[in-house]
Amino acid sequence: MTTVPREDLARRIAGEITLSDDPGATLRKWRTDFDVSQTALAEQLDVSSSVISDYESGRRESPGIGVVRRMVEALLDIDESRGGGRIRQYARVISAGFESDIVQDLREYPTSIPLETLYEAMDATELVRGDQDRISGHTVINSIEAITRLSSEEFYRLYGQSTSRALVFTGVTRGESPLVAMRVVNPTPNAVILHGLTEDDLWEHAPALATIDGFSLAISNRDLEEMLEDLRRLP
């Protein structure tokens, strides 16, 4: 694995923890994002798990930059020992110019895959079949953060290297905002998947708008973290 993505990510994480009003909570956020237990992190640092717990809960004085650096390096070492999936994920998001609380995953596939393969990974139900049945990548987006914080130009960058992709919007309650946003983005993606709702919750006009714009529309209510893990295993 090249060192540049790791070094960039290490600086970002360390800076966020050090400058946070609640360093312990920020450390806990990154540890859980990397799917590392307190015990695993403590073993990597050769300390007791109570030390990690005390830092995260605020029972121990906020760690200095040296301690933060060791913790960050430990998280990255653990991830590399597992294949480096989290480092690659954040590198893709950062290189595209997004914050990780807006874009939760951004992937380009080596070759195009059937849309059904993505649906299987997400346990998604298709409601509208669009004009294309294959995709070359996916972007997973926090719908509220994206719609409230991204400009139209930034919204277009969600496509990554190809518009032949699926845009997955998480934290959706009805689907109105993402579907309206698709009306002003040109060109449209091959598919839009709305995560976090059932068919009964879906905005009544969503299928009609997807049909007009020619993209596939699906919904998923699967556990978010489990879904993201399966999406990261796609080719």
Side-chain angles (χ1 to χ4, degrees), residues 66-126:
V67 175
V68 170
R69 185 181 296 112
R70 286 189 61 219
M71 289 180 171
V72 171
E73 291 298 327
L75 286 176
L76 299 179
D77 286 343
I78 292 171
D79 185 62
E80 285 193 338
S81 72
R82 296 172 175 176
R86 288 296 195 278
I87 295 175
R88 287 193 296 272
Q89 172 202 347
Y90 284 111
R92 289 189 296 266
V93 172
I94 292 169
S95 66
F98 295 109
E99 298 293 333
S100 59
D101 61 338
I102 298 177
V103 175
Q104 296 162 294
D105 195 24
L106 192 153
R107 289 282 309 280
E108 313 294 339
Y109 309 145
T111 60
S112 67
I113 65 172
L115 186 52
E116 293 295 336
T117 302
L118 180 77
Y119 288 160
E120 290 174 7
M122 297 184 60
D123 192 21
T125 300
E126 186 177 74

Side-chain angles (χ1 to χ4, degrees), residues 52-200:
I52 307 300
S53 177
D54 286 348
Y55 275 128
E56 292 186 352
S57 66
R59 289 191 297 269
R60 185 181 288 254
E61 185 178 351
S62 296
I65 186 62
V67 175
V68 170
R69 185 181 296 112
R70 286 189 61 219
M71 289 180 171
V72 171
E73 291 298 327
L75 286 176
L76 299 179
D77 286 343
I78 292 171
D79 185 62
E80 285 193 338
S81 72
R82 296 172 175 176
R86 288 296 195 278
I87 295 175
R88 287 193 296 272
Q89 172 202 347
Y90 284 111
R92 289 189 296 266
V93 172
I94 292 169
S95 66
F98 295 109
E99 298 293 333
S100 59
D101 61 338
I102 298 177
V103 175
Q104 296 162 294
D105 195 24
L106 192 153
R107 289 282 309 280
E108 313 294 339
Y109 309 145
T111 60
S112 67
I113 65 172
L115 186 52
E116 293 295 336
T117 302
L118 180 77
Y119 288 160
E120 290 174 7
M122 297 184 60
D123 192 21
T125 300
E126 186 177 74
L127 304 179
V128 174
R129 172 49 61 104
D131 299 334
Q132 306 293 327
D133 61 2
R134 299 183 71 85
I135 55 174
S136 298
H138 68 253
T139 309
V140 183
I141 309 139
N142 181 308
S143 61
I144 299 301
E145 295 296 333
I147 291 167
T148 57
R149 292 167 55 184
L150 297 184
S151 67
S152 57
E153 179 182 349
E154 290 170 324
F155 209 90
Y156 182 77
R157 294 210 319 271
L158 295 171
Y159 287 111
Q161 297 176 10
S162 171
T163 58
S164 175
R165 69 194 306 106
L167 298 186
V168 181
F169 291 91
T170 66
V172 175
T173 54
R174 296 184 66 236
E176 182 173 357
S177 295
L179 268 295
V180 170
M182 288 299 95
R183 300 248 59 207
V184 298
V185 175
N186 186 32
T188 55
N190 288 10
V192 171
I193 299 96
L194 305 177
H195 177 267
L197 75 170
T198 66
E199 189 171 356
D200 290 339

